Amino acid sequence: MLNFYPGPSKVYPEVRTYLVDAYDEGIMNTPHRGEHFVQLSRSVVSSIKRKLNIPQDYYIFFASSATECWEILIQSLTKHKSYHIYNGSFGEKWFQYAQKIRPAAEGHQFDLNEAMPVSELQISSDTELICFTQNETSNGTQVNANTILNLHNRFRDTLIAVDATSSMAGLNLKLIKADIWFASVQKCFGLPPGLAVMACSPRCIFRAKKIAERDHYNSLVPMYEKMLNYQTTHTPNELNIYLLKRMLEDRPFIKGIDQHLTDRAQDLYTFFEQFSDFKLLVENEEVRSKTVITLQANEKLVEDVKKRALHHNLRLGNGYGPWARNTFRIANFPAIVDEEYEELKRFFLHYYA
Ligand SMILES: *Cc1c(COP(=O)(O)O)cnc(C)c1O
């Protein structure tokens, strides 16, 4: 089965070997306070920074999911309120969680075909954290580097947190332009679910210490304190941390991966423009995602395409949220090889051209 689902998505085939190695190396039952784990953790932190182009002075943390990161950041970096800029389901869910924790949290929704409207935002000075989703997996839009730079320049004193779940380890993100970036590993990292990676700037840690919130097992300050010795507050997903280490060691630098995905996204968008029964959900090329391609059609056709594709051993992604029934999604993730997209194209040409 070729899997184009945007999460959990295709894992790197090497994961099979890594799993056997993990078993043989005793990783699955190594004490998480012991030297063996600390060495593993130190080495993976170093690979994450080197391979993903993360500034040396950023701190790396492990959590269990992107959803957990949403919660950690609101709990530990806001006393009063965060501000959420969103155009799709994941950004909106983050906002809704934030409101439950800090009822004063504010949101600004923008249109699918519009760039994030940085100059229109009215963010009051008592806002402690600005939150947005770099790649909105639910509808296939992205916030480009230039827009992030504008946001950073306009709100220099406020911490900025970025959900990069479906782009980190796929795109060469400019981490320096925001304080917090995080992703779970079942998307562009090509690994099984159950682990998230979070990178935080020195300024973020400084603010966290000032707020000094310690009410949760994964409050940021205790996470930071434990991570000074490459440990976690609880028994972490050691197996997935090991898989992450092996995967990163075998992967090229992010710049090369980004170039490959960018070219392939361009190719896929051009390819799908030829069909009259489907259209690209996102019309504005500037905001189209490079890693999640969303196609729109009438509900019956969407149903038909997905079913027929499955019949040919191709798994397409369902639509999500408000686009659940009239769209389907195709992941453009690094673990999926070019030949698989050629197969996908042949399928579409055969049945729908
Ligand atoms: C998949 C996804 C999430 C949720 O990830 P979990 O690991 O299930 O918490 C959050 N944000 C974005 C942008 C996603 O694509």
Side-chain angles (χ1 to χ4, degrees), residues 290-307:
K290 293 179 178 183
T291 54
V292 179
I293 288 144
T294 309
L295 289 150
Q296 186 173 33
N298 71 55
E299 293 187 6
K300 183 156 177 329
L301 184 60
V302 167
E303 206 45 47
D304 176 65
V305 173
K306 288 189 297 189
K307 236 191 236 151

Side-chain angles (χ1 to χ4, degrees), residues 162-181:
V162 189
D163 179 344
T165 299
S166 51
S167 54
M168 199 172 182
L171 302 182
N172 188 12
L173 302 163
K174 306 281 183 298
L175 269 78
I176 194 85
K177 302 303 176 205
D179 297 278
I180 303 115
W181 300 76

Side-chain angles (χ1 to χ4, degrees), residues 48-59:
I48 290 170
K49 288 187 180 177
R50 205 160 48 86
K51 286 288 171 74
L52 302 185
N53 206 8
I54 294 178
Q56 271 311 321
D57 60 353
Y58 274 48
Y59 297 84

Side-chain angles (χ1 to χ4, degrees), residues 65-68 70 90 133 135 137 163 165-166 184 186-187:
S65 65
T67 305
E68 188 188 14
W70 291 344
F90 287 104
T133 307
N135 194 76
T137 322
D163 179 344
T165 299
S166 51
S184 36
Q186 74 274 19
K187 315 261 168 107

